Amino acid sequence: MLDINDIISGDQNTGARMIRLIEDRDPSAHEVLKAIYPHSGRAFIIGITGSPGVGKSTLIDALIAEFRRLDKKIGIIAVDPSSPISGGAILGDRLRMQRHAADPNVFIRSMASRGQKGGLSRAAKDAVLVLDAMGYHIIIIETAGAGQTEVDVAGIAHSVGIVTIPGTGDGIQAIKAGILETGDVFILNKCDRPDADAAEFELNMMISMRPASPGSWKAVVVKTRALDGTGVKELAQVFLSHYAFLNQEGRLEKKKKEIELRYFQGLVTDLVLEKTMAALETSKAYREALQKIELNGTDPLSLAETVMGGITISNFNSP
Amino acid sequence: MAINKKIRILIAKPGLDGHDKGAKVVALALRDAGMEVIYSGLHQTLDQIIQSATQEAVDVIGLSIMSGAHLPICQKLKAMMQEKGLVHTKLTVGGVIPHQDIPKLQEIGVAAVFPGGTSFEDIIKGINSLFD
């Protein structure tokens, strides 16, 4: 087992190997995660999402430079999709951030989604935990940008930035469920393109129509041009002011509790699924059902009912 | 939990040569063989390569070298890997590598050499065989 103290003291080699165990689903990772959990919870976690090609990686590269100027230690988890055909992946986000590769206060880790939906692999959440325990002040998660389903980054980040570019749609794209609700900061990248002002106006209008309760954060639109760093200083400040806002009136604590609750529910769901399926797949009823499907007799809906009907859950005590 | 191990490989081009077509097509072939390929691009310093391999916890570093400097680069990198504790990471190299240099590279500790003209199939087989 890895030495927990090496992780907490920030040793990159040990931290990286720990993240590897997590994504390989190595059984030993669980115990280490439990041990480092009390040492996490200090980092500011930012999620960056948006469609492919809007410039997320380049923007994060510029943000790293900005946060480094403020002497923050930065951890990056960049998630790219795994090929559904081969299971392999090209992880290319690092390419855009490679100028920071030799900076000992920047840790960049690419991850493949390995078949998990929503673009954010379950392992990414645990990897954030490791970087947090290693003492990184700000952790940025970049998610595979498939667009509207990427909202689950909100499930683990304190602040969510949604990157978009001018001229990509009729505005309706932006009202589709999820994207607009979860954004704390809207980043209009490549703002030198035509229609940038119109896009900014449209975004602001959408935001103003969001139901806002008194004392809630009002989402901000920031125009950037990541390639030359235009607007990035402002963007970094907006994230930090959102963090300052969260730090007032117990908002951050509340958010952390929500994240923890979702994490717990996810873990339980995974365990239930795993244990139930393991038991089910060896059961007689399940094997019989498979045979019936093979023989083209019974419909799958009835079969599923039959198989699940045989399951009784007895060792829970309801109040 | 079911163990779900994949080969992770860092593809890097050290030094000044500016031809990365080969590295890119190899990266795609390795992806299609089920590997996770971190592509770090052109003009990488050895420090950047070591740091990237560390943070990405890769099983393999795959260098693409066409400049003729493969011997000193591999020698230096191998020493740095040792020093940084990358003891389980394998070093492989491809590109313009004269055949008479292959034994020298092996002596340095390069796990596999794929000179220009090696088929994708042989590269994939060669990398997989490092983990048999």
Side-chain angles (χ1 to χ4, degrees):
Chain A
M1 204 163 103
L2 298 174
D3 190 339
I4 290 137
N5 292 318
D6 287 340
I7 296 176
I8 295 161
S9 68
D11 179 65
Q12 291 203 345
N13 206 342
T14 313
R17 276 162 53 210
M18 176 58 190
I19 294 173
R20 182 67 198 271
L21 293 177
I22 290 167
E23 66 182 355
D24 288 346
R25 297 180 150 235
D26 191 291
S28 71
H30 191 75
E31 289 306 313
V32 183
L33 273 175
K34 278 202 288 190
I36 60 172
Y37 195 85
H39 299 276
S40 69
R42 289 169 298 174
F44 173 36
I45 302 164
I46 298 174
I48 299 279
T49 189
S51 305
V54 295
K56 295 181 294 297
S57 302
T58 310
L59 200 60
I60 291 173
D61 169 70
L63 268 178
I64 297 172
E66 203 53 54
F67 286 136
R68 286 297 298 132
R69 258 192 279 282
L70 303 171
D71 214 19
K72 305 284 185 199
K73 289 175 70 178
I74 315 294
I76 311 289
I77 300 287
V79 185
D80 265 334
S82 295
S83 156
I85 313 291
S86 70
I90 299 274
L91 306 172
D93 294 330
R94 165 178 276 277
L95 181 61
R96 317 257 176 243
M97 313 172 194
Q98 200 56 356
R99 66 174 159 139
H100 303 290
D103 182 341
N105 291 310
V106 178
F107 189 114
I108 301 166
R109 180 57 149 82
S110 319
M111 289 184 106
S113 58
R114 296 201 182 174
Q116 305 236 3
K117 292 199 190 71
L120 197 60
S121 80
R122 141 88 186 281
K125 160 76 192 162
D126 293 343
V128 167
L129 199 71
V130 174
L131 293 183
D132 191 343
M134 284 172 77
Y136 289 92
H137 302 124
I138 299 176
I139 298 166
I140 304 177
I141 314 156
E142 174 181 352
T143 68
Q148 288 128 8
T149 56
E150 303 313 317
V151 292
D152 57 351
V153 68
I156 64 177
H158 303 145
S159 192
V160 175
I162 292 170
V163 190
T164 182
I165 52 175
T168 50
D170 50 8
I172 297 299
Q173 293 293 1
I175 5 178
K176 286 187 182 168
I179 280 288
L180 201 69
E181 284 100 299
T182 51
D184 300 300
V185 182
F186 288 84
I187 305 149
L188 191 61
N189 195 30
K190 308 189 188 182
C191 68
D192 55 325
R193 285 193 171 187
D195 300 334
D197 290 341
E200 184 186 23
F201 176 78
E202 215 162 69
L203 274 173
N204 273 316
M205 202 170 71
M206 302 278 186
I207 290 167
S208 70
M209 290 191 297
R210 281 210 306 205
S213 47
S216 71
W217 169 258
K218 190 180 173 303
V220 182
V221 179
V222 184
K223 287 202 281 188
T224 59
R225 188 168 184 274
L227 261 188
D228 64 9
T230 305
V232 175
K233 198 182 173 86
E234 291 79 359
L235 179 62
Q237 284 309 320
V238 167
F239 276 121
L240 291 175
S241 59
H242 184 218
Y243 191 54
F245 172 84
L246 288 174
N247 268 302
Q248 292 159 14
E249 296 171 29
R251 294 183 186 104
L252 188 63
E253 286 316 306
K254 191 166 162 255
K255 192 153 220 151
K256 282 180 178 173
K257 284 287 158 221
E258 288 166 11
I259 292 171
E260 202 164 40
L261 181 67
R262 226 174 277 124
Y263 184 45
F264 164 73
Q265 287 168 331
L267 289 168
V268 171
T269 309
D270 285 355
L271 277 172
V272 167
L273 198 64
E274 214 172 281
K275 292 196 175 200
T276 317
M277 283 313 291
L280 205 55
E281 281 168 0
T282 55
S283 73
K284 193 166 165 251
Y286 191 80
R287 281 200 309 271
E288 280 174 3
L290 290 181
Q291 278 165 8
K292 282 182 184 162
I293 287 175
E294 198 80 20
L295 296 170
N296 263 337
T298 326
D299 72 282
L301 298 107
S302 310
L303 285 173
E305 271 172 20
T306 313
V307 168
M308 290 313 288
I311 291 185
T312 46
I313 295 170
S314 54
N315 48 352
F316 291 103
N317 296 314
S318 37
Chain B
M1 276 193 281
I3 292 190
N4 182 19
K5 212 166 157 47
K6 294 203 185 295
I7 293 177
R8 281 174 70 86
I9 177 165
L10 175 76
I11 299 283
K13 284 196 66 73
L16 292 176
D17 95 66
H19 303 280
D20 63 348
K21 207 72 163 193
K24 281 177 177 161
V25 294
V26 168
L28 282 171
L30 296 177
R31 177 200 65 183
D32 293 342
M35 299 181 198
E36 292 181 356
V37 186
I38 295 112
Y39 184 69
S40 68
L42 290 165
H43 309 316
Q44 295 296 295
T45 66
L46 298 191
D47 264 337
Q48 282 177 313
I49 293 172
I50 289 287
Q51 202 65 359
S52 306
T54 303
Q55 295 176 354
E56 299 287 356
V58 292
D59 304 297
V60 183
I61 299 174
L63 298 180
S64 162
I65 307 176
M66 319 231 186
S67 62
H70 44 276
L71 287 171
I73 288 175
C74 289
Q75 192 148 31
K76 181 113 190 278
L77 194 68
K78 193 70 200 167
M80 289 167 80
M81 286 166 70
Q82 208 70 36
E83 187 193 325
K84 295 286 177 182
L86 292 175
V87 283
H88 301 294
T89 313
K90 319 272 188 199
L91 178 61
T92 66
V93 58
V96 181
I97 315 281
H99 278 269
Q100 68 265 25
D101 286 348
I102 294 179
K104 294 178 204 158
L105 287 166
Q106 285 165 339
E107 206 171 297
I108 290 168
V110 175
V113 185
F114 307 112
T118 312
S119 69
F120 289 150
E121 205 190 328
D122 287 340
I123 296 175
I124 292 159
K125 243 190 258 166
I127 292 173
N128 276 322
S129 72
L130 299 174
F131 303 96
D132 285 343

